[in-house]
């Protein structure tokens, strides 16, 4: 089990601090994770996401997605914002010269779906496609 040094553990050993859990997910998952604001600017990203986008982690916060993503991924994000539902698609990412599976959903922090933060998970499926 990962350690959560900045949080107070509950009886079951999991942290009570949501920020500690969020930090651990961003740091430990091998998949790319992006948190986008209502204008599709990157609020937060992890290292695998930076690799998929052909960028550095430090350069991503505040960056507008249309500059970085293929049009098919922007279409997915627009569809998620329009429908308010979880969506998944497979797209080709030039930075890794292979396909990724992108899944996204809106976070339920505000009622206006156009301004809700969006969580995007990007999984490299290049090896999987080679095995098929």
């Amino acid at each position: 089990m990962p350690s959560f040094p900045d949080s107070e553990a509950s009886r079951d050993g999991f942290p009570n601090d949501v920020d500690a859990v969020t930090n651990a997910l961003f740091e430990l998952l091998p998949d790319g994770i992006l948190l986008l604001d209502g204008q599709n600017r990157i609020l937060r990203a992890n290292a695998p996401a930076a690799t998929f986008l052909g960028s550095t982690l430090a350069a991503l916060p505040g960056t507008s997605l249309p500059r970085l993503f293929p049009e098919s991924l922007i279409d997915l994000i627009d569809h998620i914002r329009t429908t308010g539902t979880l969506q998944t698609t497979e797209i080709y990412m030039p930075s890794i010269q292979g396909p990724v599976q992108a899944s996204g959903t809106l976070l339920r922090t505000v009622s206006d779906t156009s301004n809700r933060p969006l969580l995007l998970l990007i999984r490299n499926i290049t090896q999987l496609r080679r095995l098929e």
Side-chain angles (χ1 to χ4, degrees):
M1 174 187 290
S3 64
F4 302 94
D6 297 324
S7 67
E8 180 181 318
S10 65
R11 285 182 296 131
D12 58 8
F14 289 98
N16 290 322
D17 184 353
V18 173
D19 288 337
V21 173
T22 303
N23 290 339
L25 288 173
F26 270 79
E27 292 171 17
L28 297 174
L29 284 179
D31 299 321
I33 305 171
L34 293 167
L35 181 60
L36 311 176
D37 69 10
Q39 287 73 46
N40 292 336
R41 291 180 303 241
I42 298 172
L43 295 172
R44 186 163 182 192
N46 67 354
T51 299
F52 292 144
L53 298 174
S55 184
T56 64
L57 194 54
L60 290 179
T63 303
S64 178
L65 285 190
R67 286 188 12 179
L68 298 172
F69 279 6
E71 189 174 324
S72 56
L73 192 51
I74 300 300
D75 291 343
L76 171 72
I77 291 167
D78 289 344
H79 188 70
I80 292 167
R81 290 204 184 280
T82 302
T83 64
T85 60
L86 174 70
Q87 300 290 320
T88 300
T89 193
E90 184 176 314
I91 61 169
Y92 179 82
M93 293 295 285
S95 60
I96 63 165
Q97 299 182 348
V100 298
Q101 182 182 51
S103 300
T105 190
L106 293 175
L107 301 179
R108 306 281 184 226
T109 57
V110 293
S111 59
D112 178 8
T113 59
S114 64
N115 287 319
R116 282 187 187 159
L118 188 141
L119 186 66
L120 191 63
L121 182 73
I122 305 170
R123 174 168 288 157
N124 186 343
I125 56 172
T126 303
Q127 291 292 78
L128 178 65
R129 292 296 173 252
R130 286 183 187 148
L131 294 173
E132 290 180 340

